[in-house]
């Protein structure tokens, strides 16, 4: 497909006219216009609708979008920019380019990028975007599989990056790295032939302990979230390492700040003296962000911020004085309450280690659904397995 010949002024006008409509409605309108590139138009409208949050600069700069499944699987702009902060050098090999989001941003911090992609349509979309963005002189696209490229390659690179597909036949998601395509566990020795530094993007559902058993050369593990939604785990591997370093960096990318918390897995135990046994009459409550929860860095949090854990299975924390720079939400205790005596049913409800689901709680106690708000009702089990309810103010 020659994109320049397809993406005409007429097609641009149609996309602009239909871009706010549901895709099903657009599809019906295009059914009577057989001369138009229906699939291309649908892909662009889907991209414009989905990329407002995920890839805002693609919309701003007039770049184009791939088929729906490839757009779903690509990195977001926020996570691609984060990779810029941890990688740089002269040369980069990306073995799984996709439609090129990571390549586009990483080309800003490398002098040359070789991008490998077996899907011909995706290479055409990526090349168009690279030309449009002015980065094409740094990027060489190779239409090949990762396995075949490594078999034929003679060049060394400062870094190799790989984001394997995490889907099986029928578009079913997989978590086991050995079922990724390509199998990064099998490819790693070949990657290390051409670079001492490898970055692997992993499913956010993968278990960090399992990953550290699977590899023995992990230098750092990044758990990356965007607006408190875990998006990916990044494994930074070093060829010269004979055993894993246990440093884990949790990252939560927010609009105006980035919450970072670094810990070592061997510092993550909680002693009996670090549990709270008070009456919750005053003080501050802390709820870790999703990256911290994913990494289960609870003992490290307690030690770093001098907090008290509420209980082993209730992942919230207490302190008498406010602790700044906590990677998550901080609340000041207003009062310990009895549900039957709480008249304000519009507060935001948060439940931790609670016997009812959120929906069941709202229905049973007649609370309105409510979104994130200043005033919060927190329901949880304490260290004696007793249900407690706190009225809190968000700090």
């Amino acid at each position: 497909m020659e994109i320049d010949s397809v993406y005409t002024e007429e097609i641009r006008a149609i996309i602009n006219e239909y871009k706010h409509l549901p895709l099903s409605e657009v599809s019906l309108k295009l059914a009577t216009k057989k001369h138009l590139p229906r699939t291309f138009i649908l892909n662009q409208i889907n991209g414009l609708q989905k990329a407002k949050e995920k890839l805002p600069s693609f919309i701003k700069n007039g770049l184009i979008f791939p088929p729906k499944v490839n757009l779903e699987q690509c990195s977001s702009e926020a996570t691609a920019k984060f990779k810029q902060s941890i990688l740089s050098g002269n040369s980069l090999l990306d073995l799984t380019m996709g439609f090129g989001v990571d390549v586009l941003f990483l080309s800003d911090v490398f002098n040359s990028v070789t991008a490998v992609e077996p899907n011909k349509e995706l290479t055409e979309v990526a090349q168009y975007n690279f030309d449009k963005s002015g980065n094409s002189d740094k990027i060489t696209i190779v239409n090949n599989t990762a396995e075949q490229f490594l078999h034929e390659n003679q060049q060394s690179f400062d870094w190799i990056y790989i984001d394997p597909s995490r889907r099986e036949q029928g578009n079913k998601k997989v978590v086991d790295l050995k079922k990724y395509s390509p199998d990064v566990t099998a490819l790693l020795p070949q990657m290390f032939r051409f670079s001492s530094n490898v970055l692997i993007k992993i499913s956010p559902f993968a278990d960090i302990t399992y990953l550290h058993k699977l590899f023995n050369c992990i230098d750092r593990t990044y758990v990356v979230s965007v607006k408190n939604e875990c998006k990916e785990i990044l494994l930074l591997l070093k060829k010269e390492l004979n055993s894993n370093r246990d440093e884990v960096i949790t990252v939560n990318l927010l609009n105006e700040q980035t919450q970072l918390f670094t810990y070592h897995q061997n510092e993550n135990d909680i002693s009996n003296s670090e549990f709270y046994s008070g009456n919750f009459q005053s003080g501050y409550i802390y709820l870790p962000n999703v990256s911290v929860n994913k990494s289960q860095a609870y003992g490290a949090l307690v030690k770093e911020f001098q907090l008290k854990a509420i209980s082993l299975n209730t992942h919230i924390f207490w302190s008498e004085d406010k602790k700044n720079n906590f990677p998550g939400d901080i609340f000041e205790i207003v009062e310990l309450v009895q549900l039957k005596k709480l008249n304000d049913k519009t507060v935001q409800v948060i439940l931790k280690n609670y016997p009812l689901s959120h929906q069941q709680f709202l229905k049973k106690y007649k609370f309105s659904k409510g979104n994130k708000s200043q005033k919060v009702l927190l329901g949880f089990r304490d260290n004696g397995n007793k249900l407690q309810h706190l009225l809190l103010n968000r700090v």
Side-chain angles (χ1 to χ4, degrees):
M1 175 180 69
E2 290 292 334
I3 291 175
D4 286 324
S5 63
V6 172
Y7 202 21
T8 62
E9 288 302 320
E10 178 192 12
I11 301 305
R12 293 173 194 267
I14 290 171
I15 291 170
N16 190 57
E17 180 183 355
Y18 294 166
K19 65 184 179 182
H20 300 299
L21 299 176
L23 284 182
S24 57
E25 190 174 332
V26 177
S27 185
L28 286 174
K29 287 180 177 293
L30 294 177
T32 60
K33 301 177 180 181
K34 303 294 184 182
H35 67 291
L36 296 177
R38 178 177 176 276
T39 300
F40 179 81
I41 293 171
L42 289 172
N43 286 342
Q44 300 321 302
I45 292 175
N46 175 67
L48 289 170
Q49 293 175 354
K50 301 295 185 185
K52 290 178 183 178
E53 289 288 331
K54 190 172 186 177
L55 299 167
S57 71
F58 275 57
I59 298 175
K60 178 182 177 181
N61 297 324
L63 306 187
I64 64 172
F65 301 97
K68 182 178 180 181
V69 65
N70 303 109
L71 184 62
E72 289 175 351
Q73 294 177 9
C74 76
S75 295
S76 68
E77 187 167 320
T79 60
K81 286 181 176 178
F82 174 73
K83 295 183 189 80
Q84 284 182 329
S85 71
I86 62 174
L87 299 184
S88 63
N90 181 55
S91 58
L92 169 73
L93 169 62
D94 184 338
L95 286 169
T96 48
M97 179 185 72
F99 93 105
V101 174
D102 284 317
V103 167
L104 187 60
F105 285 94
L106 287 172
S107 65
D108 287 337
V109 291
F110 283 89
N111 294 324
S112 68
V113 179
T114 301
V116 179
E117 174 53 51
N119 185 315
K120 182 65 174 175
E121 181 182 357
L122 291 181
T123 65
E124 292 171 349
V125 171
Q127 188 65 64
Y128 178 92
N129 288 337
F130 297 157
D131 291 341
K132 184 85 172 176
S133 66
N135 287 33
S136 59
D137 59 331
K138 284 187 172 186
I139 304 168
T140 301
I141 296 177
V142 180
N143 185 205
N144 206 342
T145 65
E147 296 91 336
Q148 189 63 29
F149 178 88
L150 290 174
H151 178 71
E152 299 172 354
N153 179 59
Q154 300 295 322
Q155 181 183 350
S156 61
F157 300 89
D158 291 341
W159 282 92
I160 294 179
Y161 171 61
I162 187 165
D163 174 11
S165 173
R166 299 177 289 278
R167 296 185 184 256
E168 294 180 312
Q169 272 188 327
N171 210 29
K172 182 181 177 182
K173 292 182 180 180
V174 296
V175 176
D176 185 355
L177 267 69
K178 295 182 179 180
K179 293 183 179 179
Y180 283 12
S181 179
D183 178 355
V184 290
T185 62
L187 273 189
L188 186 59
Q190 296 181 61
M191 289 190 277
F192 275 153
R193 286 176 56 205
F194 305 111
S195 180
S196 297
N197 308 296
V198 173
L199 185 71
I200 304 177
K201 177 179 167 182
I202 307 291
S203 163
F205 301 107
D207 180 76
I208 293 176
T209 302
Y210 163 73
L211 296 176
H212 277 246
K213 290 179 180 177
L214 198 59
F215 298 99
N216 67 347
C217 53
I218 300 175
D219 184 47
R220 279 167 282 163
T221 303
Y222 295 90
V223 184
V224 184
S225 297
V226 178
K227 297 178 182 177
N228 217 31
E229 181 180 351
C230 195
K231 294 296 186 181
E232 57 195 47
I233 296 174
L234 299 173
L235 297 182
L236 199 156
L237 310 180
K238 297 281 190 178
K239 182 179 180 179
E240 73 273 8
L241 292 179
N242 295 317
S243 62
N244 293 327
R245 293 178 179 152
D246 64 355
E247 185 177 63
V248 179
I249 303 169
T250 69
V251 184
N252 189 25
L253 304 169
L254 304 173
N255 287 333
E256 298 178 358
Q257 67 174 126
T258 297
Q259 292 178 339
L260 290 172
F261 179 63
T262 301
Y263 75 100
H264 293 85
Q265 289 178 300
N266 63 1
E267 301 172 349
N268 207 25
D269 295 330
I270 302 178
S271 66
N272 290 334
S273 64
E274 292 173 317
F275 287 101
Y276 182 63
S277 57
N279 54 16
F280 299 106
Q281 294 298 318
S282 62
Y284 294 83
I285 294 292
Y286 302 81
L287 273 63
N289 65 42
V290 69
S291 285
V292 174
N293 281 328
K294 171 63 188 178
S295 67
Q296 298 184 335
Y298 305 124
L301 274 183
V302 166
K303 294 172 178 60
E304 176 70 20
F305 293 94
Q306 297 182 336
L307 306 174
K308 293 289 186 179
I310 298 301
S311 81
L312 190 61
N313 297 312
T314 301
H315 301 136
I316 57 180
F317 304 86
W318 175 93
S319 73
E320 183 176 359
D321 301 314
K322 181 187 170 188
K323 309 293 183 179
N324 294 319
N325 302 316
F326 178 80
D329 292 321
I330 307 175
F331 306 87
E332 185 174 10
I333 295 175
V334 177
E335 60 179 328
L336 189 63
V337 298
Q338 296 180 22
L339 289 179
K340 293 180 181 179
K341 295 182 179 180
L342 184 63
N343 294 322
D344 186 357
K345 302 291 185 176
T346 64
V347 299
Q348 180 188 356
V349 174
I350 298 176
L351 304 176
K352 296 290 183 180
N353 190 21
Y354 203 86
L356 297 178
S357 70
H358 191 265
Q359 189 61 38
Q360 289 170 335
F361 182 94
L362 297 182
K363 183 177 180 180
K364 179 176 179 178
Y365 295 105
K366 298 180 173 56
F367 278 79
S368 58
K369 189 172 182 179
N371 295 314
K372 183 174 180 178
S373 64
Q374 186 67 26
K375 192 169 287 187
V376 170
L377 176 69
L378 176 65
F380 61 96
R381 289 189 186 275
D382 65 17
N383 201 33
N385 208 34
K386 180 183 176 181
L387 285 178
Q388 302 277 14
H389 300 90
L390 288 175
L391 192 61
L392 309 171
N393 273 330
R394 191 182 296 274
V395 176

